[in-house]
Amino acid sequence: MNAVAPLVDDDHADLLAQIRAARVYEVAQVSALEPAPLLGERLGRPVLLKREDQQSVFSFKLRGAYNRMVQLDAAQRARGVVAASAGNHAQGVALAAAKLGIRAAIVMPVTAPQLKVDAVRRFGGAMVDVVLAGDSYSDAQAAAAQLQAERGAVFVHPFDDPAVIAGQGTVALEILLQHPGPLEAVFVPVGGGGLAAGVAACIKALRPAVRVIGVQAADSDAMARSLDAGERVVLDEVGLFADGTAVKQVGALTFALCRQHVDAMLRVDADAICAAIRDIYQDSRSVPEPSGALALAGLKQYAAAHGGGAGALVAIVSGANMNFDRLRFVAERAELGEQREAVFAVTIPEERGSFRRFCAALGRHAITEFNYRIGDARSAHIFVGVRIARRGEREALAAAFRAQAFELLDLTDDELAKLHLRHMIGGRSPLARDERLYRFEFPERPGALTDFLGRLHPDWNVSLFHYRNHGADHGRILVGLQVPAAELPLLRQFLAALGYPHVDESAHPAYRRLLRS
């Protein structure tokens, strides 16, 4: 890869000058800074959305990509460029290549949503070759490095490049011009750190009292961990729900700038992101991608902990390249993210009147899901979802169930229940002896599920299997394997060789109550 040029930033002046000189408006527009009145009223704070999802490639990424490529000299343009991206940066590079007449090879993982692959080809036209390689951004980056070496091309980095950072920093210039009034904090989604580095350096140079807060998915928090450690760390795995910010290691330059200028980092989970997607939709009738809603999820977390501030809160809506199939998952999890749904596993006695007592305990609450299965002659098991208005109602419901002497598990914050158990019914099986339960993730590509099944050990019977396509880059499955105790060391060896991220759920209380024989 090309070495990153040094960036002098003693008093912010050098980077600020680069941001002000960035040539982004040949392809980008000044995106709107819009109020979110419904959310603002709910939080009791003015909330503004910086609508980078309105750009022609539906994300901010074209700013940095174009600013980098427009500065190439004639010899560099003749050699062409190479880029690696899971989607949004690829679209920016493709648009810039077509605009500037530069040949580009863009490497994308085979797991990249078809929506984004098609968009790259559409924006780039005849100037762009799309190469699909590997299951992750890291695989694509390795393939791009090989292509660059073979062709002698220029690598256009998605975040760790001064020109890219300066291009992204123009977002902050616009925010400050659009809102000269009181401004408490700007929330920025963080993956590799290019947007956060540019935005933070610009704001701290011009309005240092304004807080700049980075937001990351809790399972892709490379920047937050690096800032905590004082050095760049490498994550073993990244969650891919917010795929646009799923980076295992942040850039050297972006880390240095964020360490200097970013005031704080927040982590949010998938449910909070889904709730933020819904908030944006309700206020703007637009649907951001998960990474595009990260900043607002962080803003909501901050507002809950810091009431009564003096200025507006701004969230950068960074992109809207949403895979349509993912909307089902978003809709399901948004209620949980906003704490508007409580999920319980309730065991009631098999006796006259117990079901009536269960319904009485529910009261007038709206039911979002109800699964019932007789357990044995003594008890029955119910999986129930209930719509609530506030967290206190969840605790009151739990107390009402316990007052009836029902056994209760609160599964509202339980990942196994939310991903799998709520979609399963059937109860216990006396045939499932020696069952071990595992939750797996594997790359979601054509044939991936068949490949996974083919790699399972032929001597162990599959006693339970649940798979549901969430429209994401990784498939999630729940597998029960019948493995005698004497063979557990062999099972552990097999799982290590398999190489897929997995969680042993054999001791999970809801599994043991609802499905374990």
Side-chain angles (χ1 to χ4, degrees), residues 7 12 30 51 62 81 129 146 228 252 274 314 324 344 367 408 424 459 461:
L7 184 64
H12 314 286
V30 176
R51 298 291 306 280
L62 81 170
V81 302
D129 296 320
Q146 184 176 346
D228 288 343
C274 291
V314 174
F324 184 81
F344 300 102
I367 296 173
L408 179 75
M424 302 175 70
D459 295 336
N461 186 53

Side-chain angles (χ1 to χ4, degrees), residues 227-406:
L227 294 175
D228 288 343
E231 61 182 5
R232 290 191 300 155
V233 301
V234 182
L235 303 183
D236 294 330
E237 299 290 341
V238 289
L240 290 178
F241 177 60
D243 57 303
T245 50
V247 173
K248 290 185 177 180
Q249 185 178 36
V250 302
L253 181 54
T254 58
F255 170 69
L257 288 167
C258 287
R259 190 177 187 184
Q260 183 178 0
H261 301 300
V262 171
D263 292 288
M265 294 291 301
L266 299 177
R267 298 172 175 91
V268 295
D269 63 16
D271 291 349
I273 296 170
C274 291
I277 291 172
R278 185 177 64 178
D279 289 324
I280 293 170
Y281 173 78
Q282 289 178 334
D283 261 316
S284 70
R285 296 301 186 268
S286 64
V287 182
E289 63 189 277
S291 294
L294 261 179
L296 187 64
L299 181 153
K300 291 168 62 182
Q301 184 185 113
Y302 175 90
H306 301 82
L313 304 177
V314 174
I316 299 175
V317 183
S318 59
N321 287 294
M322 169 69 91
N323 185 349
F324 184 81
D325 293 339
R326 191 174 289 184
L327 292 175
R328 175 178 56 191
F329 176 81
V330 170
E332 289 174 356
R333 301 292 286 261
E335 292 288 318
L336 292 164
E338 202 59 72
Q339 297 185 350
R340 293 180 181 176
E341 183 187 34
V343 178
F344 300 102
V346 185
T347 300
I348 66 174
E350 276 292 350
E351 62 186 28
R352 189 180 301 275
S354 62
F355 194 73
R356 183 184 297 274
R357 289 191 288 121
F358 171 81
C359 293
L362 280 175
R364 304 291 295 175
H365 288 89
I367 296 173
T368 58
E369 184 152 2
F370 192 99
N371 291 326
Y372 169 84
R373 179 67 168 172
I374 189 170
D376 51 37
R378 300 184 305 277
S379 62
H381 305 298
I382 298 171
F383 187 102
V384 62
V386 182
R387 183 163 287 115
I388 57 177
R390 57 189 180 277
R391 189 177 184 90
E393 288 185 39
R394 168 181 162 189
E395 296 161 355
L397 267 171
F401 289 135
R402 292 191 177 103
Q404 295 294 332
F406 297 151

Side-chain angles (χ1 to χ4, degrees), residues 406-422:
F406 297 151
E407 292 183 37
L408 179 75
L409 289 177
D410 186 342
L411 301 176
T412 307
D413 300 320
D414 189 279
E415 197 67 12
L416 179 68
K418 292 182 286 189
L419 280 175
H420 297 287
L421 294 184
R422 74 183 305 160

